[in-house]
Amino acid sequence: MASSDNSSPKPQAAQGMSKALTNYGDREFSLFLRKAFIKGAGYTDDALSKPIVGIANTGSGFNPCHGNAPQLIEAVKRGVMLAGGLPVEFPTISIHESFAHPTSMFLRNLMAMDTEELIRAQPMDAVVLIGGCDKTVPAQLMGAASAGIPAIQLVTGSMLTGSHRGTRVGACTDCRRFWASYRGDEIDAQEIADVNNQLVASVGTCSVMGTASTMACITEALGMMVPGGATPPAVTADRIRVAERTGTQAVAMIGAGLTPDRILTGKAFENALRVLLAIGGSTNAIIHLTAIAGRLGIAIDLDGLDRISKETPVLVDLKPSGQHYMEDLHKAGGLAAVLRELRPLLHLDTLTVTGRTLGEELDAAGPGFPQDVVRSRENPIYPQGGIAFLRGNLAPGGAIIKQSAASKDLMEHEGRAVVFENLEDLAKRIDDPDLDVNPEDVLVLKNIGPIGAPGMPEAGYMPIPKKIGRLGVKDMVRISDGRMSGTASGSIVLHVTPESAMGGPLALVQSGDRIRLSVSERSLTLLVDETELARRRAAMPPAPPRAEDQRGYRKLFLSTVTQADAGCDFDFLRAVEIRETVPAKPAQPEDKA
Ligand code: FES
C-alpha cells in the first residue's frame, strides 16, 4: 500500500512558551502564569521568546551507562543557544539493564509513555532525546514517534574497554565468557573478583555490539541522529562535539518542520534492518524496531527480514560475532564505513535529521581508509545477515536465532528436550548433579515471554549445566520464548511465538521429546505427533492466578502487551492502522507493467 506523503513540513500551531498551555479556561492567563513561574528561575522575556528545545535527561544514579549525561546536556545546551534556541532540560524515567526488576523490558513501554506524554505536555518545539542503555533509545523513539514534534536522538556512547591480566575486556560479552569459565571451574574466585573490576572501565554503554550499540547504529541509519553520532565513546571529545551538533540541529529541525514521521518511513526502516543484519546486531533490536515502526503504522515482516538477511552479509568484526569493540569501530570510521559498503543495498533518498538524505550525508562523509574492523561485502565476517527467522510447529508465529554468534556444528541439530518450566525451576535444577542431561540435548525454558515472566527477560541465554560445562562443553541448543542480551552468543533460539504463557506449543514440550533445529531450512520442529499434542493441551491445567498481577502498572502491562512479533508494545499505543509493510516484497515479473 502506498504510504502517505511525509515529505512536506506540517504547519505548526502555537510555539515556544505558548505551546501546550495548562487549561484554566483562559489561554492568556495560562501563559501569564507560566511565564511568571519560569521567571522565578531567572529567565528574561527575551530568552522566553526563543524557540524551545526540550532535552530529555535520563541521567540517574542507577544508570552508569548514562553517567556522562551532565556533560552531554551542557554541550547540547551550547549547541541550541549557538543556533538561537532556548534549551530546557527535563527528567524522564531512566532504565539500566542491571538495575531493573524484574527486567528492563517490563519498563520500556512505561518509559515510552513517560517520554511521549512529557513531550506533549510541556512547551517545546523540538526535543533532544538523551538515551543509551538498551531500552532507553527504543523507548524514546517510540515516544517521540507518537508525540510527533521534531525529535533528534543523542546516545551517551560506549564505555572504554578494560584490561585483565594482559587481555582486553569489555561488557558484556566478556562478562559472560568469564562467568562461564568460573562455572566450569576454569578460573577461581580470586580471578572472577579481579575481572569484575575491569569489565566496565568507564561510564557509557556496553562496549560490544550489544543492544545499546546496535540501537545507536540503527538509529543513525534511520536518520534520527546526526551523521557520525552512533560510535564515539562516552568519554571522548568526539562525543561532546556530537552533543553540541545535536543541539544546533534540533533548532534547525524546528524551522524545517522535520517531524519523526518524515524521517521514519518504511524505506528508513528497511535501511535500519539492513544495517542491523550487517553489523551482527542484537536480536532485541528486531523487537524494538517493530515497536517503533508500529507507532507509525508500519509493520515489519519477519519473513521479509529473513529474505534480506540472505543477501546482507555481516561486515562488522565486533564481539559477540567477531573480535573488536565499539571504540575500534569508531576509529575505523564509524557507521559511515558500514553504510559505504552497504550502499547498493540501501535506500539513499531517505531523509535525515539534517534535512539532507542518507545518500547526501554518505557523499559528504568522503572516502573510507584502510582498516580491519569493517569488512567489504566480498570478504564478510559471515556470508548472511546475523539473524535468521525460524518457523515450525514449535513456533507458528516465528522465532529467531543469531546465527552469526551460534556454533556452526549446532545449526543443523536434533536432540532430546530437557525442559525447565520457568525461571525458578531453571535456577533450582540446572546445576543439580542428578539432572538427566547430555551435551547433545536441547535445553528448553518456558514462561519467559512477554506475559510469562513477565517482561520477556534476557534469560534465553540459559547457562550450560555445570556437569556439562565441566566436560569442556561451551554451547548447546537452547530454546525459549524469552530474549537474550545482544552481548551474548551461542546456539540460542529466542522469541518463540506465541509464548508458552499464552498456550503456545512451547507449553506442550516435555522432557524426552525430540526437537529438530534446521537453520538452513529455517525450521524449528517438535517431533511429537498432533494427536499427542492435542491430548497434552486438553490436560493442561489453567495457570493459577497471581495476586500481584491484579493492580498497578503490572496489570496494565499484562492486559495490553503484545507478542514479540508485534514489538511487545502495548496494543493501545500502536497506530490504529497498518498502512505499510517492510521489507517490501521484490517485484515479481507479473507485477511489472
Ligand atoms: Fe547499559 Fe549494557 S548495561 S548498555
Side-chain angles (χ1 to χ4, degrees):
M1 185 184 288
S3 61
S4 60
D5 179 13
N6 296 331
S7 57
S8 313
K10 296 185 183 69
Q12 285 215 340
Q15 293 191 328
M17 276 293 143
S18 303
K19 280 188 83 173
L21 288 168
T22 310
N23 267 338
Y24 295 113
D26 178 344
R27 291 182 56 80
E28 285 176 19
F29 175 68
S30 297
L31 182 59
F32 169 78
L33 204 58
R34 171 175 285 174
K35 287 175 81 169
F37 276 112
I38 201 159
K39 282 179 178 173
Y43 287 90
T44 62
D45 280 312
D46 185 29
L48 297 176
S49 69
K50 307 289 183 202
I52 298 175
V53 175
I55 305 171
N57 176 7
T58 51
S60 159
F62 288 115
N63 194 344
C65 295
H66 295 197
N68 60 343
Q71 291 80 20
L72 294 182
I73 289 167
E74 186 188 328
V76 172
K77 286 183 172 175
R78 185 167 67 240
V80 171
M81 289 193 281
L82 282 169
L86 174 67
V88 182
E89 68 177 274
F90 62 98
T92 74
I93 292 172
S94 187
I95 306 169
H96 183 279
E97 289 301 294
S98 291
F99 291 88
H101 177 80
T103 178
S104 58
M105 189 68 172
F106 181 67
L107 298 169
R108 184 201 63 178
N109 296 351
L110 184 63
M111 181 172 175
M113 290 171 74
D114 181 29
T115 303
E116 175 184 344
E117 295 305 329
L118 287 186
I119 291 173
R120 196 173 277 135
Q122 301 173 130
M124 61 189 86
D125 300 299
V127 62
V128 173
L129 307 158
I130 301 181
C133 197
D134 295 15
K135 303 304 175 295
T136 59
V137 171
Q140 291 181 321
L141 290 176
M142 290 160 72
S146 296
I149 68 165
I152 183 168
Q153 185 76 56
L154 172 65
V155 294
T156 54
S158 60
M159 60 183 70
L160 298 180
T161 51
S163 178
H164 171 67
R165 301 186 183 177
T167 304
R168 195 178 182 205
V169 293
C172 229
T173 305
D174 297 321
C175 313
R176 298 172 202 286
R177 182 166 62 83
F178 276 93
W179 190 250
S181 297
Y182 177 59
R183 282 177 55 81
D185 292 337
E186 291 167 12
I187 64 172
D188 61 16
Q190 183 58 54
E191 180 159 7
I192 197 70
D194 286 351
V195 77
N196 192 253
N197 287 330
Q198 296 302 319
L199 288 163
V200 179
S202 74
V203 296
T205 53
C206 286
S207 53
V208 298
M209 193 50 82
T211 305
S213 303
T214 303
M215 288 308 303
C217 289
I218 63 180
T219 301
E220 185 175 336
L222 280 168
M224 286 296 290
M225 70 168 58
V226 293
T231 57
V235 296
T236 58
D238 279 350
R239 173 54 58 201
I240 301 295
R241 274 189 286 271
V242 165
E244 183 186 302
R245 282 168 54 209
T246 300
T248 302
Q249 199 57 52
V251 179
M253 290 172 76
I254 299 169
L258 210 40
T259 45
D261 59 328
R262 296 181 62 204
I263 298 171
L264 295 173
T265 59
K267 284 182 177 179
F269 282 103
E270 246 181 73
N271 286 342
L273 290 170
R274 289 274 186 199
V275 167
L276 166 64
L277 295 163
I279 61 179
S282 165
T283 48
N284 289 321
I286 296 177
I287 295 180
H288 298 321
L289 271 177
T290 303
I292 299 162
R295 297 297 184 100
L296 294 157
I298 299 170
I300 291 186
D301 171 34
L302 295 178
D303 290 307
L305 171 66
D306 195 67
R307 190 174 62 246
I308 66 169
S309 177
K310 288 178 179 154
E311 58 189 38
T312 313
V314 178
L315 303 177
V316 178
D317 190 5
L318 249 65
K319 290 173 183 259
S321 297
Q323 54 173 328
H324 293 288
Y325 295 86
M326 274 301 274
E327 59 197 76
D328 305 319
L329 176 58
H330 183 56
K331 287 175 188 158
L335 191 71
V338 184
L339 297 175
R340 211 175 279 121
E341 278 300 321
L342 289 179
R343 189 173 184 130
L345 301 174
L346 297 173
H347 300 289
L348 298 171
D349 57 346
T350 53
L351 207 52
T352 75
V353 287
T354 62
R356 293 180 291 273
T357 65
L358 189 69
E360 287 169 336
E361 289 299 348
L362 206 43
D363 290 340
F369 51 85
Q371 43 80 30
D372 63 352
V373 180
V374 181
R375 301 268 193 95
S376 67
R377 285 199 294 144
E378 293 70 40
N379 178 33
I381 299 292
Y382 193 82
Q384 298 187 354
I387 298 166
F389 180 57
L390 310 170
R391 278 196 200 272
N393 69 344
L394 192 48
I400 57 170
I401 183 168
K402 188 170 184 176
Q403 53 179 340
S404 60
S407 302
K408 287 191 176 41
D409 57 338
L410 291 175
M411 306 277 269
E412 308 295 318
H413 184 79
E414 184 183 317
R416 188 184 62 138
V418 176
V419 176
F420 301 91
E421 292 298 324
N422 50 42
L423 281 170
E424 294 72 34
D425 187 32
L426 178 79
K428 202 163 67 189
R429 293 195 297 124
I430 188 77
D431 291 334
D432 184 341
D434 295 328
L435 180 68
D436 180 12
V437 62
N438 297 303
E440 61 276 11
D441 288 341
V442 174
L443 303 181
V444 175
L445 176 56
K446 303 178 185 176
N447 288 307
I448 60 164
I451 290 173
M456 209 180 179
E458 290 183 340
Y461 177 80
M462 284 171 256
I464 302 295
K466 259 190 178 160
K467 63 191 271 189
I468 303 295
R470 286 188 180 124
L471 301 174
V473 175
K474 298 275 188 255
D475 195 10
M476 295 173 73
V477 173
R478 287 159 271 180
I479 300 173
S480 75
D481 46 11
R483 298 177 301 116
M484 86 172 174
S485 164
T487 64
S489 60
S491 304
I492 300 175
V493 177
L494 303 156
H495 309 182
V496 170
T497 304
E499 64 172 303
S500 49
M502 295 268 291
L506 190 67
L508 307 177
V509 184
Q510 295 180 354
S511 287
D513 290 348
R514 296 197 71 77
I515 292 176
R516 187 167 64 224
L517 166 68
S518 172
V519 178
S520 66
E521 292 174 8
R522 301 292 199 258
S523 66
L524 183 66
T525 313
L526 176 60
L527 300 169
V528 176
D529 69 51
E530 284 304 319
T531 318
E532 170 61 13
L533 291 179
R535 188 196 64 74
R536 289 182 192 176
R537 183 174 296 286
M540 218 163 51
R546 299 179 289 201
E548 67 269 28
D549 294 351
Q550 303 309 316
R551 66 166 299 280
Y553 175 70
R554 189 174 169 116
K555 181 171 182 174
L556 176 72
F557 184 96
L558 291 172
S559 56
T560 61
V561 74
T562 56
Q563 293 285 285
D565 57 353
C568 298
D569 201 359
F570 293 155
D571 54 13
F572 63 92
L573 293 174
R574 286 162 59 80
V576 175
E577 183 194 357
I578 294 295
R579 54 182 176 75
E580 189 176 2
T581 298
V582 296
K585 283 199 173 75
Q588 300 298 313
E590 61 268 25
D591 295 341
K592 292 185 180 147

